[in-house]
Amino acid sequence: MAHALAKATLGLTLPAQIDPPKITFAAKEIDSVEWKGDMLAVGITEKDTAKSATSKFQNPILTKLDSQHGGLLSQVSTEEDFTGKTGQSAIVRLPGLGPKRVGLFGLGKCTPTSTHRSLGESIASSAKAFQANHVAITLASFEGLTPELKLKAASAIATGIILGTYEDNRFKSESKKPTLKSVDFLGFGVGPELEKKLKYTEDVCTGVVLGKELVNSPANVLTPEVLAEEAEKIASKYKDVFTIKILDTEKCKELKMGSYLGVAAASANPPKFIHLCYKPPNGSIKKKLALVGKGLTFDSGGYNIKTGVGCLIELMKFDMGGSAAVLGAAKALGQIKPPGVEVHFIVAACENMISGTGMRPGDIVTASNGKTIEVNNTDAEGRLTLADALVYACNQGVDKIVDLATLTGACIVALGPSIAGVFTQSDELAKEVVAASEVAGEKLWRMPMEESYWEMMKSGVADMANSGGRQGGSILAALFLKQFVDEKVEWLHIDMAGPVWNDKKKTATGFAVPTLVEWVVSNSST
């Protein structure tokens, strides 16, 4: 994301214009012992590290490499106690005309997609450390890997390399440019199928990078207006498949979006309702989908202000993580151009602030479907914005809706920081989205839609309240959203409050972009 508004932001901060890393991937048929470059990376399972009585590798590929380099690999693996466990690595500097370095990278007992992605991230980290430009990757054993599994492995490794190489340094006064330029895959097969898979992977990763940058951007830089500008950039860059509408406050009033506008009322930054629409360049449309993302560019909590340890107010720039996933998916799909499917990307962007014009606890707002809501908690605001966004999505004549939101702390308590909760009454849609997440390597867990809990959301003066207390908080939020979805439309809600942010690395994850892209592609007619 690159933003260069002429007007000054609060704090005079503007992100630097930094191009994301461009890495060229190629599949080659040469033997790993013949490859020349900066680093040859070898993925090794625990089984592959078995050695003879003379401490030599028994694995044929490792034996060949070790022999070529005078036994250095087996020597270093013994000295550094390299056993092939996940996350282990041993790098050997070599003399001669072959690779400058050989890196041994542990894959653990087996090789699922997540392990291959971690392998890619480890290789990217080593390439940074040794300033490698040209890297090759192979596995010590391709046993059990069908051509299809080789494609998946190569894709996962490439994902790890791209996202492991990328660093969001836009707000740092100094930053180093990544050195890695090209990566060769050895032993994974060659041909158009692999090339197509790697191109798809690169497209998805551009969407993930956008998602990360949007979430990382502080609220003094990423206002609702700037979020709308980012959507406009996508529409402009891929104008063969996208059209866009940005609705201002007056237009939203005409559409009777009282629930959304109630949340936005306290902020000096006006709300922007974003509607980006994808239509394939040619062919008939067989399915219409909507992706709806929560777009709170900052959430103070309103008059129910976030206070105390663990309230995370300092991280509430990430409360637009749902919209970041939606726009990241849009950018990827603009490049992939799946046929036969129309997709509506919808974001009700605003801030939840405090002022004399703002919504008070106890106020009653009226959503665009006519339902009234007693606001008993101004910090349960995301659902109020999503209410009008879901009504709007249904009015586009879509068959299926997936909404995404950093909606409840309750979901983090239930599922932890790595797993998003899924809520739907459609078993078929749940299967589709969970299957897409498994291909994408992201973790979703289906949660119950317990209808009897709706009693907790009753109001004495309005159709419903916007909060029902602490118990079952993420379920109550999902039941609330259900009130604004047409019964004829299949709908699924993803609460991604946990996995939107990596607390250890203090950065956004780009979560859900790969799952959304995979889901849309699975609904297209190829």
Side-chain angles (χ1 to χ4, degrees):
M1 186 190 81
H3 170 58
L5 275 183
K7 65 182 182 183
T9 60
L10 184 151
L12 306 182
T13 300
L14 282 174
Q17 301 264 3
I18 297 176
D19 293 325
K22 182 61 185 167
I23 301 167
T24 304
F25 293 98
K28 297 188 176 177
E29 283 187 305
I30 63 169
D31 194 309
S32 55
V33 296
E34 295 170 12
W35 184 85
K36 294 179 182 179
D38 292 322
M39 183 172 72
L40 173 65
V42 187
I44 303 174
T45 65
E46 291 179 34
K47 182 182 174 184
D48 298 328
T49 60
K51 291 179 181 173
S52 66
T54 55
S55 297
K56 295 295 181 184
F57 289 116
Q58 294 178 332
N59 174 281
I61 291 176
L62 291 177
T63 299
K64 202 171 180 182
L65 278 170
D66 197 34
S67 174
Q68 184 192 26
H69 300 297
L72 269 176
L73 301 186
S74 55
Q75 184 184 332
V76 168
S77 70
T78 300
E79 288 174 359
E80 297 190 13
D81 195 26
F82 179 84
T83 57
K85 288 180 180 174
T86 307
Q88 274 192 321
S89 64
I91 314 292
V92 185
R93 179 75 168 93
L94 300 168
L97 300 173
K100 290 179 184 176
R101 288 178 174 84
V102 172
L104 310 180
F105 295 88
L107 292 171
K109 293 186 185 301
C110 55
T111 53
T113 301
S114 59
T115 309
H116 283 131
R117 176 167 169 170
S118 296
L119 169 62
E121 290 169 353
S122 297
I123 292 167
S125 178
S126 294
K128 280 181 195 174
F130 298 114
Q131 297 186 312
N133 296 119
H134 186 199
V135 168
I137 298 158
T138 191
L139 301 180
S141 172
F142 287 91
E143 185 184 345
L145 286 183
T146 62
E148 186 182 351
L149 288 175
K150 283 183 180 180
L151 285 178
K152 287 182 179 178
S155 173
I157 293 167
T159 298
I161 287 174
I162 294 168
L163 299 181
T165 301
Y166 162 79
E167 288 181 34
D168 190 355
N169 293 320
R170 295 168 301 144
F171 298 101
K172 293 181 179 179
S173 56
E174 293 181 13
S175 62
K176 288 182 181 178
K177 285 189 175 180
T179 56
L180 187 59
K181 303 295 181 195
S182 62
V183 175
D184 295 336
F185 284 92
L186 312 180
F188 290 83
V190 291
E193 279 296 303
L194 182 54
E195 288 170 16
K196 185 180 175 185
K197 186 71 173 176
L198 291 172
K199 174 64 171 66
Y200 176 88
T201 301
E202 290 179 67
D203 293 342
V204 172
C205 286
T206 63
V208 175
V209 166
L210 175 62
K212 282 171 172 267
E213 292 190 348
L214 291 173
V215 174
N216 281 337
S217 296
N220 61 325
V221 171
L222 191 82
T223 61
E225 182 181 4
V226 174
L227 189 61
E229 287 174 4
E230 289 299 324
E232 286 175 326
K233 286 178 189 174
I234 295 169
S236 174
K237 187 166 185 178
Y238 309 106
K239 54 181 175 283
D240 56 328
V241 289
F242 281 117
T243 55
I244 191 166
K245 284 192 284 188
I246 308 292
L247 311 183
D248 61 12
T249 301
E250 289 308 309
K251 188 62 181 174
C252 291
K253 280 181 183 175
E254 288 175 28
L255 295 173
K256 303 186 186 309
M257 295 183 178
S259 186
Y260 163 49
L261 293 175
V263 176
S267 179
N269 290 308
K272 297 291 177 183
F273 192 97
I274 302 162
H275 178 198
L276 188 62
C277 180
Y278 167 89
K279 289 183 181 177
N282 45 54
S284 61
I285 291 165
K286 294 172 184 175
K287 287 182 185 173
K288 292 186 180 182
L289 312 175
L291 300 176
V292 178
K294 176 182 169 183
L296 268 292
T297 57
F298 187 75
D299 176 20
S300 69
Y303 276 103
N304 291 103
I305 191 168
K306 295 177 184 292
T307 57
V309 178
C311 72
L312 301 181
I313 192 170
E314 73 282 3
L315 286 177
M316 281 303 118
K317 64 179 184 179
F318 75 36
D319 215 18
M320 40 59 68
S323 67
V326 165
L327 294 181
K331 181 172 184 176
L333 291 163
Q335 297 165 81
I336 295 164
K337 305 186 198 307
V341 63
E342 177 179 307
V343 191
H344 297 264
F345 305 84
I346 296 165
V347 176
C350 65
E351 293 181 326
N352 185 23
M353 300 297 283
I354 301 170
S355 78
T357 62
M359 190 171 60
R360 295 147 295 223
D363 282 359
I364 295 174
V365 295
T366 306
S368 45
N369 64 348
K371 292 189 178 181
T372 58
I373 306 154
E374 181 185 8
V375 180
N376 58 11
N377 186 346
T378 60
D379 195 21
E381 85 301 327
R383 65 199 69 181
L384 296 174
T385 67
L386 287 169
D388 282 326
L390 288 168
V391 172
Y392 183 93
C394 290
N395 289 338
Q396 307 311 307
V398 297
D399 308 304
K400 304 172 189 176
I401 298 173
V402 171
D403 84 69
L404 304 97
T406 48
L407 207 60
T408 67
C411 207
I412 306 176
V413 172
L415 297 176
S418 303
I419 305 168
V422 168
F423 301 81
T424 182
Q425 291 182 310
S426 167
D427 292 343
E428 193 56 41
L429 187 53
K431 282 178 188 173
E432 281 183 21
V433 175
V434 170
S437 75
E438 287 171 353
V439 172
E442 296 187 308
K443 294 177 181 178
L444 303 181
W445 190 261
R446 191 174 179 187
M447 302 284 276
M449 292 278 285
E450 181 53 55
E451 290 288 345
S452 66
Y453 287 7
W454 184 243
E455 281 296 316
M456 299 184 216
M457 300 289 282
K458 293 290 175 69
S459 163
V461 290
D463 293 335
M464 68 194 83
N466 75 323
S467 178
R470 292 176 63 82
Q471 294 182 330
S474 55
I475 298 172
L476 296 178
L479 291 171
F480 178 89
L481 297 179
K482 178 175 169 281
Q483 312 307 310
F484 302 93
V485 179
D486 191 311
E487 289 180 358
K488 296 172 188 171
V489 179
E490 284 187 85
W491 161 74
L492 180 142
H493 161 61
I494 298 176
D495 192 331
M496 52 182 281
V500 69
W501 188 256
N502 185 321
D503 204 43
K504 187 178 178 182
K505 295 182 180 177
K506 301 189 185 308
T507 188
T509 60
F511 183 83
V513 171
T515 295
L516 294 182
V517 173
E518 194 64 41
W519 179 64
V520 170
V521 170
S522 71
N523 273 275
S524 71
S525 50
T526 49

